[in-house]
């Protein structure tokens, strides 16, 4: 049953198309409704199908693989052949509260640039994002409006982030996020918190909520390097060594 539905979704139907009803599947395969529901449930979990209450079961939109890398949302969407756009909800300068100041390694009350934006890919809402930047390093940042890409603007100022750290958590959409992302309150979202650095100075702190029904997190992994262990000096036991003579030995250098 699952194989049939998977082949139907991937080979014949498009996103938004309805799948055959439970009754039709029961009659075709001669199985119980419980069996059909279990098969459908498995494909809902995989993200191939989605249930819409009061309407039925439909082919889910394809998920975007979100790779953990130091790149902007626009760069990631362009890499996937999608058109990125943004709606600016807030663009302001404000005193840094304690948590933002700590993240950017500045003093509490220092001025920061705060951007609150709704991100789209091919006109579909994908993520809600708060971004904070240290104002003293980015003079006149908002003078001509919000840049279409923060990372492009940072690059033009010679401040392209060269390393960073992401923290990823599972969460539930609050009422405001749900309205912006066109999902129901309480639906799961991927929460990603990022600190990005230029050299040894923090240049960006961001908190984003991504629709988990449209994203799958992709993390490339590799085997860790072998641990570096200094070579131990090998000694040979010999009871006939004259204690009054100096052994002819050379120091062994450890490798790192």
């Amino acid at each position: 049953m699952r194989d049939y539905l998977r082949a139907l979704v991937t080979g014949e139907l498009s996103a938004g198309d309805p799948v055959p009803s439970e009754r039709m599947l029961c009659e075709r395969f001669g199985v119980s409704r419980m069996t059909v529901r279990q098969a459908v449930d498995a494909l809902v979990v995989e993200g191939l199908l989605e249930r819409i209450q009061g309407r039925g079961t439909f082919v889910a939109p394809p998920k975007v693989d979100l790779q953990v890398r130091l790149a902007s949302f626009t760069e990631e969407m362009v890499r996937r052949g999608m058109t990125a756009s943004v709606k600016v909800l807030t663009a302001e300068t404000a005193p840094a509260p304690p948590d933002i100041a700590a993240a950017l390694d500045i003093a509490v009350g220092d001025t920061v640039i705060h951007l609150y934006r709704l991100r789209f890919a091919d006109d579909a809402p994908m993520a809600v994002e708060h971004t904070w930047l240290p104002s003293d390093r980015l003079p006149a940042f908002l003078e001509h409006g919000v840049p279409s890409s923060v990372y492009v603007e940072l690059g033009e100022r010679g401040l392209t982030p060269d390393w960073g750290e992401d923290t990823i958590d599972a969460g539930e959409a609050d009422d405001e996020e749900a309205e912006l992302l066109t999902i129901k309150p309480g639906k799961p979202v991927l929460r990603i918190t990022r600190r990005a650095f230029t050299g040894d100075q923090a240049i960006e702190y961001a908190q984003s909520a991504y629709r988990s029904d449209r994203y799958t997190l992709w993390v490339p992994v590799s085997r860790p390097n072998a641990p570096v262990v200094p070579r131990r000096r090998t000694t040979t036991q010999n009871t006939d060594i004259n204690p009054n003579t100096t052994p002819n030995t050379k120091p062994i250098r450890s490798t790192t």
Side-chain angles (χ1 to χ4, degrees):
M1 176 74 70
R2 285 196 303 268
D3 291 342
Y4 167 76
L5 289 173
R6 187 179 290 109
L8 193 65
V9 168
T10 57
E12 298 183 28
L13 301 178
S14 301
D17 288 345
V19 298
S21 66
E22 290 183 358
R23 179 179 177 181
M24 292 175 60
L25 292 171
C26 289
E27 293 176 353
R28 174 162 185 171
F29 288 92
V31 296
S32 68
R33 182 159 291 189
M34 180 62 70
T35 299
V36 172
R37 287 179 181 173
Q38 289 175 347
V40 171
D41 286 344
L43 297 185
V44 169
V45 171
E46 289 183 26
L48 293 178
L49 299 178
E50 63 177 351
R51 285 193 175 95
I52 300 178
Q53 189 173 2
R55 294 183 56 196
T57 304
F58 300 83
V59 178
K63 285 192 174 185
V64 176
D65 64 302
L66 177 63
Q67 183 179 356
V68 179
R69 45 189 276 163
L70 192 57
S72 68
F73 179 90
T74 300
E75 290 172 324
E76 284 296 302
M77 295 305 105
V78 170
R79 188 173 68 87
R80 290 168 174 78
M82 305 177 77
T83 301
S85 57
V86 61
K87 179 180 180 181
V88 178
L89 305 172
T90 300
E92 63 182 358
T93 56
D99 57 334
I100 305 303
L104 291 175
D105 196 22
I106 59 177
V108 175
D110 281 359
T111 303
V112 292
I113 299 162
H114 173 220
L115 304 177
Y116 179 31
R117 295 171 293 174
L118 177 59
R119 298 289 204 165
F120 296 84
D122 289 345
D123 296 325
M126 291 289 186
V128 177
E129 181 179 83
H130 288 273
T131 302
W132 294 270
L133 309 160
S135 182
D136 63 336
R137 302 189 67 191
L138 299 165
F141 188 84
L142 299 176
E143 184 176 356
H144 302 292
V146 180
S148 58
S149 171
V150 169
Y151 276 34
V152 169
E153 179 68 19
L154 292 177
E156 292 178 352
R157 293 169 179 255
L159 295 171
T160 301
D162 47 27
W163 69 282
E165 55 189 18
D166 284 358
T167 302
I168 303 164
D169 295 293
E172 296 181 349
D174 61 28
D175 291 343
E176 183 176 352
E177 291 168 338
E179 182 178 357
L180 292 170
L181 296 174
T182 64
I183 58 178
K184 291 183 177 181
K187 282 290 187 180
V189 292
L190 269 176
R191 297 197 181 278
I192 301 181
T193 301
R194 166 171 293 183
R195 295 177 72 208
F197 296 79
T198 302
D200 60 353
Q201 291 186 304
I203 193 64
E204 176 199 29
Y205 179 62
Q207 295 177 344
S208 305
Y210 287 81
R211 287 179 56 167
S212 65
D213 63 333
R214 297 300 308 275
Y215 277 93
T216 181
L217 190 64
W218 180 52
V219 183
V221 296
S222 59
R223 291 285 299 171
N225 295 328
V228 178
V229 180
R231 289 186 306 181
R232 293 184 178 181
R233 183 172 174 178
T234 303
T235 58
T236 304
Q237 293 183 350
N238 189 337
T239 56
D240 296 330
I241 294 179
N242 187 337
N244 296 320
T245 62
T246 301
N248 184 17
T249 61
K250 296 181 180 180
I252 299 176
R253 295 179 180 177
S254 64
T255 60
T256 60

